[in-house]
Amino acid sequence: MDPKKKIDRIDTALAALGPHAEECALCPRECRVNRRSGETGVCQSPDRAGLARALLHHGEEPVLSGPGGRVRGSGTLFFTGCNLKCLFCQNYQISWLGQGRLVDDEELARTMIALQDRGAVNINLVSPTHLVLPILRALKIAYGRGLFLPLVYNSNGYEKVEVLERLAGIVDIYLPDLKYRSGGLSERCSGAADYFGFAGPALQEMYVQQPDFILDGDGLAARGTIVRHLVLPGQVEDSIAVLEWLAETFPPSLPLSLMSQYRPCFRAPADLGRPIEAAEYRAVLQKARELGFEQLFVQPDLFGPGENLNPDFDLDQPFRWKT
Ligand code: SF4
């Protein structure tokens, strides 16, 4: 979309969502804190963005990072804090422990432009839900200065439809997780018994806004909705329930990314204290094929010993890609 039209949409979104800065109900947690005055809720974030890292990401799906993961990369912004906070989070250093630096809107906009100047193929907002206001303010600046890359909204799925509706015409690619179907599991792992009750309608709204998965001439996503699901150890049944709901709700052309990379991190519950087994991933993948998903992104069904995709944000280069 023409950046000028995006700026108009951003102005409208900021007018509608702005009051949340002083009584925040931007996400299902509905903490109602005054973030402008420095109060924080579950996401532990004031009304400025905490930025943990901005980098060219070579490990996203090939349509987002570039074919082979070697070309240019996804211009990824890792934000501090999170509104969901899974106990097993692989990004716990930033989502739970607060690593990162508060930046103002101007610096955030400059960071987006800098990623574009370095050859990024998109701007990829990781965990943007709780920071939608500073992100929108920064995008307004960045679009005014020539940002033109597709915008990826890389979300845990724990979203409110009325907030997402304000992002129509601004977000080009929705990249939501659908983590759990069971309320018991989502309560135990993320303190959110209502996860599916919010994530389901949120995914439907995203798909209404971006139903068509469009690739450009280089095989890179230009628009669309890609759903991610991380298979958890011992939870094949819940994964299958997630897939069945997706298959009932969306057409088979819905792109689905099935992830096997789970490693227990941080405060993972005891029964989730191991990687998944190859057989578990194969069972979920087999079900996805039976259900007829036409566009599947897959990972290896087994990672070798010591081989994992978990980042370490204590390092200058948190990921270990062989670029
Ligand atoms: S965005 Fe943060 S402060 Fe606002 S409702 Fe969600 S968790 Fe609470």
Side-chain angles (χ1 to χ4, degrees), residues 24-33 35 40-45 82-83 129-130:
C24 189
L26 279 171
C27 86
R29 302 287 189 193
E30 298 202 339
C31 304
R32 308 226 170 250
V33 291
R35 295 171 61 181
T40 56
V42 171
C43 62
Q44 295 175 289
S45 300
C82 180
N83 69 320
T129 313
H130 59 299

Side-chain angles (χ1 to χ4, degrees), residues 236-290:
V236 168
E237 203 177 307
D238 198 62
S239 288
I240 287 176
V242 163
L243 298 191
E244 287 176 338
W245 181 82
L246 289 171
E248 284 161 14
T249 309
F250 300 100
S253 56
L254 177 80
L256 174 65
S257 180
L258 273 183
M259 306 173 79
S260 63
Q261 69 184 61
Y262 176 86
R263 289 290 179 284
C265 284
F266 196 49
R267 298 176 186 157
D271 61 316
L272 274 67
R274 62 167 173 86
I276 65 167
E277 294 168 1
E280 291 176 309
Y281 186 69
R282 283 187 206 132
V284 177
L285 185 56
Q286 171 68 18
K287 186 69 182 178
R289 292 195 168 121
E290 284 168 19

Side-chain angles (χ1 to χ4, degrees), residues 4-24:
K4 284 204 182 73
K5 284 192 184 146
K6 282 203 175 189
I7 290 173
D8 289 345
R9 299 275 176 113
I10 290 169
D11 283 337
T12 306
L14 283 171
L17 300 177
H20 287 280
E22 296 183 353
E23 189 179 347
C24 189

